[in-house]
Amino acid sequence: MTKPDTPATPTQAAPPTPAHSAPADSDPIDRLNRALQRISFALDKSRKAEQRKSGNTQELVANVDALISRVRDALAHADRPEDK
């Protein structure tokens, strides 16, 4: 049984819009502004990730340099005749 105000045959409905998108009747300037904010956020996040990666690389290089120095010192100390 159908309600009197409900059509008996299904009608063609518009495809659902994603939850994060704005309604079709919103101001284009507002939509553009939100899109630019999302792009800006993504770029900022990418830059911060790259800086962290660069910082990790610099720290690793410093640690390797310190290790090389310690190995050289140990080898130089081992080559001394007074230790033998």
Side-chain angles (χ1 to χ4, degrees), residues 39-77:
I39 292 169
S40 175
F41 176 77
L43 288 173
D44 189 43
K45 186 176 176 182
S46 174
R47 283 187 197 125
K48 287 180 181 178
E50 189 65 32
Q51 287 173 348
R52 281 193 304 271
K53 183 179 177 184
S54 175
N56 291 343
T57 302
Q58 290 173 355
E59 183 180 342
L60 180 61
V61 167
N63 288 338
V64 168
D65 285 343
L67 179 61
I68 289 170
S69 178
R70 290 174 55 196
V71 168
R72 284 183 181 159
D73 289 345
L75 290 173
H77 184 46

Side-chain angles (χ1 to χ4, degrees), residues 26-39:
S26 68
D27 186 23
I29 293 173
D30 289 339
R31 291 175 48 212
L32 179 59
N33 188 27
R34 285 191 301 270
L36 290 173
Q37 287 173 352
R38 288 192 302 271
I39 292 169

